[in-house]
Amino acid sequence: MTRLGYGTLDLVPARVTRPNRTAPPTTGIVHFGPGAFHRAHQAAYIDTLLDSEPDWGIAAVSLRSAATVAALTEQQGLYTLAVRDITPAYRIIGAHSRFLGPDDAEQTLALLADPAVRLVTTTVTEKGYCLAAGGTLDLTHPDIAHDLAAPAVPRSVIGWIVAGLAARHARGIAPFMVMPCDNLANNGAKVRAALIRFAEAQTPELAAWIATQVRVPGTMVDSITPAADDALYADVADVLGVEDRAAVQREAFTQWVIEDLGDPVCAALGRAGATLTDNVAGYEQAKLRILNGSHSTLAYAGLLRGHASVADAMGDATLADFIDTMIRDDIIPTLPPVAGLDLDGYRAAVLARFRNPAIVHRLEQIAADGSQKIPYRLGDTLAAQRAQGRLPRHVLAALGCWIAFLMQRARAGVPILDPAGTALADCAATGDAHAVLARLIAAKLGFSEALAHDSDATRSIARAAQAAFEGDWASAFPG
Ligand code: CS2
């Protein structure tokens, strides 16, 4: 079958929107992590911007997979975005100037040092930043240790960004802006601090330059983007009439909120459709705690209750009611008001998005990397409630569901998909939920050490975990 490319766009039916360009755009952005979320979310905004401002093309760098790079290079960077919603839509995205892989270090560094590159963005998932439990750069992380010893060919995104900044600093070229686009609480400040700490371990002068010259705005990113699968590729081939081996899919809803630093890069992204604000923290907390906290809860409780997708789990009235009540009673009370954001309306909108029958969002995908996700998705809400002397019964039960999930997987010998998977399995392999929770806290896996001194909370979490593990949902969920 003919492959998608600029030379075959004329074969694609007119109802499929496509770039109004005949060749890849010029590079203005370097992006690390060209996975499905980046290509479904940020790239769609930039694709729109390119219609009027053609020098914002994205050179995407994969630090891990050469396969994605090969498939997209064969298609000159073009791919289909399938919008799965009440009104399905198909759009060919042409936002990328090129794709580079793990073996293209020289070209990647040359791009980072190119004055035409004004922005470096990242979607490497929470674990990709090599942060320790407290959110600071983990200098003992194997990739960070490697990059400090061999800075010329980094493995980590932090190492790569500092290498690019070092090249610009050495040549007297102004730095690019750095913009993390991952679900990470306070992502801008954390990534900026990580860059400075990495540089300090090399050359203090570079660290000082980064500290005073490099801008790292915080962001909140949101669009439900299920992993691509063969059904998607077959559907896209049927609609386009040409083969696309890099298609992505998402819901119609998309939001990109960026801390407005008042400079040309932020302004350009505002023209692309991003929301510029001086209160990115408000948007970010609401999204991470309401949407992502509910997502993780649906993943663990849903899998334990035999469901496979978010929409399936939302069809389980007991679980759907639990989530709704958790948001209303436990999560929203911890959120400061955000101008222009009606939190109760946001709750209703998130639940409706979860029920989207056109989206098959697998709970296994969301359940991955729990040790990285749980602290900010549910842990921060628990800490905020405990600081007020309250016991958030639903959030405590949700944390219990994560533990019950770990116990079930560990005892069934099913691998736990998580950077700490082996350690999690060791903690969850034996004993009752109280013992498992104590081990997780001691190992700083998903829980802060402070929780060890909160017997009311730990008792409640463990009780819910044991009940969920035994399938006693009347006891696991608050009455
Ligand atoms: C999901 C997120 O996989 C997961 O952990 O909770 O990817 C979620 O779909 C996005 O944050 C939605 O914006």
Side-chain angles (χ1 to χ4, degrees):
M1 191 175 198
T2 303
R3 195 72 179 274
L4 175 62
Y6 281 94
T8 58
L9 281 176
D10 57 336
L11 302 178
V12 175
R15 71 184 178 101
V16 177
T17 55
R18 77 277 316 274
N20 62 8
R21 296 176 288 283
T22 57
T26 54
T27 303
I29 300 169
V30 170
H31 178 81
F32 288 95
F37 182 77
H38 159 72
R39 287 185 282 125
H41 177 263
Q42 173 190 346
Y45 287 91
I46 299 303
D47 193 55
T48 299
L49 181 64
L50 285 166
D51 285 344
S52 55
E53 302 176 43
D55 57 357
W56 284 105
I58 304 169
V61 181
S62 176
L63 297 177
R64 298 285 180 269
S65 162
T68 304
V69 170
L72 284 152
T73 301
E74 288 160 9
Q75 298 179 180
Q76 298 170 285
L78 294 178
Y79 59 90
T80 309
L81 167 59
V83 176
R84 304 302 202 190
D85 230 294
I86 297 169
T87 310
Y90 298 82
R91 174 182 171 187
I92 295 172
I93 302 292
H96 293 87
S97 53
R98 55 195 300 198
F99 285 83
L100 298 167
D103 299 330
D104 299 318
E106 193 173 330
Q107 297 175 72
T108 300
L109 189 58
L111 277 170
L112 291 170
D114 184 341
V117 170
R118 290 150 288 171
L119 173 63
V120 171
T121 52
T122 58
T123 50
V124 292
T125 76
E126 302 87 344
K127 58 184 179 290
Y129 298 95
C130 307
L131 302 180
T136 58
L137 183 66
D138 179 0
L139 295 178
T140 66
H141 188 289
D143 289 349
I144 298 299
H146 168 275
D147 294 354
L148 288 172
V153 190
R155 287 183 189 156
S156 71
V157 72
I158 297 296
W160 266 112
I161 294 173
V162 173
L165 290 169
R168 294 171 90 106
H169 179 240
R171 300 172 193 173
I173 299 170
F176 41 70
M177 172 180 279
V178 178
M179 186 179 292
C181 295
D182 276 298
N183 287 323
L184 187 68
N186 201 13
N187 56 19
K190 283 178 181 167
V191 169
R192 179 178 179 275
L195 297 173
I196 294 167
R197 186 159 192 216
F198 184 93
E200 278 169 345
Q202 286 183 308
T203 52
E205 185 201 357
L206 175 62
W209 183 71
I210 292 173
T212 56
Q213 302 300 317
V214 178
R215 316 194 82 181
V216 189
T219 70
M220 183 279 271
V221 292
D222 187 6
S223 191
I224 291 173
T225 305
D229 54 22
D230 290 342
L232 169 66
Y233 297 137
D235 174 50
V236 165
D238 184 49
V239 170
L240 268 61
V242 297
E243 186 183 21
D244 175 358
R245 293 184 195 163
V248 293
Q249 59 187 339
R250 67 161 164 83
E251 63 177 332
F253 179 92
T254 183
Q255 189 173 31
W256 191 7
V257 179
I258 299 170
E259 179 185 2
D260 189 1
L261 299 181
D263 72 359
V265 173
C266 292
L269 298 179
R271 293 192 294 272
T275 301
L276 303 181
T277 178
D278 59 2
N279 181 21
V280 68
Y283 282 93
E284 171 201 273
Q285 273 188 351
K287 192 262 181 174
L288 294 178
R289 296 185 188 182
I290 291 176
L291 187 149
N292 292 113
S294 300
H295 245 182
S296 290
T297 304
L298 282 169
Y300 301 120
L303 288 167
L304 287 165
R305 291 170 64 93
H307 303 300
S309 73
V310 171
D312 286 348
M314 288 301 288
D316 175 339
T318 301
L319 188 45
D321 290 347
F322 175 88
I323 294 292
D324 194 357
T325 307
M326 179 175 78
I327 296 172
R328 195 178 54 243
D329 293 358
D330 289 4
I331 297 174
I332 287 180
T334 69
L335 298 171
V338 178
L341 180 61
D342 164 31
L343 289 173
D344 193 56
Y346 183 65
R347 171 191 60 83
V350 164
L351 296 178
R353 289 167 61 192
F354 284 173
R355 290 191 169 95
N356 180 354
I359 287 271
V360 180
H361 198 180
R362 302 200 183 289
L363 298 177
E364 289 286 358
Q365 177 184 344
I366 300 168
D369 298 350
S371 69
Q372 309 284 309
K373 297 176 178 178
I374 288 292
Y376 66 79
R377 293 182 177 202
L378 293 167
D380 286 350
T381 298
L382 174 59
Q385 286 282 10
R386 297 303 288 139
Q388 299 297 318
R390 294 191 294 260
L391 270 178
R393 298 183 308 146
H394 290 74
V395 163
L396 291 162
L399 290 165
C401 289
W402 180 51
I403 293 172
F405 166 84
L406 296 175
M407 290 169 69
Q408 185 187 73
R409 291 288 162 102
R411 298 174 196 198
V414 177
I416 296 169
L417 299 181
D418 189 295
T422 303
L424 290 169
D426 291 345
C427 287
T430 58
D432 67 7
H434 291 79
V436 171
L437 176 55
R439 292 186 203 116
L440 290 170
I441 294 171
K444 300 179 187 174
L445 290 170
F447 299 103
S448 70
E449 284 180 289
L451 195 62
H453 310 295
D454 186 343
S455 56
D456 289 343
T458 52
R459 189 182 312 114
S460 178
I461 293 169
R463 188 183 305 127
Q466 192 63 39
F469 177 65
E470 295 168 357
D472 175 6
W473 291 98
S475 302
F477 282 172

